[in-house]
Amino acid sequence: MELRVDRERCIGAGMCVLTAPGVFDQDTEDGRVVPLDPTPAPEQEPAVREAVQVCPSGAITILAGD
Ligand code: SF4
């Protein structure tokens, strides 16, 4: 899986960090998403897909993956 986050679109809601803490973090300055791992391991994929669903701004996109 490969993902992309749009920091311009992110509103810093933090849902992705709660859902997939190994993959996303938040900037301590502006609260916006920081991708920790743009190519998450297979065991992370369910959490990443959930993060895409729960993100209120649509800032997370899955570019490739099963
Ligand atoms: S859930 Fe979406 S809006 Fe919230 S921090 Fe993550 S990417 Fe940003």
Side-chain angles (χ1 to χ4, degrees):
M1 173 184 275
E2 186 178 348
L3 61 86
R4 179 171 58 86
V5 295
D6 183 344
R7 283 178 48 82
E8 296 300 313
R9 189 182 270 248
C10 173
I11 59 171
M15 298 301 293
C16 57
V17 182
L18 291 174
T19 307
V23 180
F24 304 102
D25 200 358
Q26 275 178 286
D27 191 302
T28 53
E29 297 274 315
D30 63 12
R32 294 187 187 188
V33 66
V34 177
L36 297 176
D37 185 358
T39 56
E43 57 268 26
Q44 298 269 27
E45 291 185 10
V48 172
R49 291 184 196 285
E50 189 177 345
V52 172
Q53 297 294 321
V54 299
C55 174
S57 67
I60 307 166
T61 306
I62 295 173
L63 298 177
D66 302 334

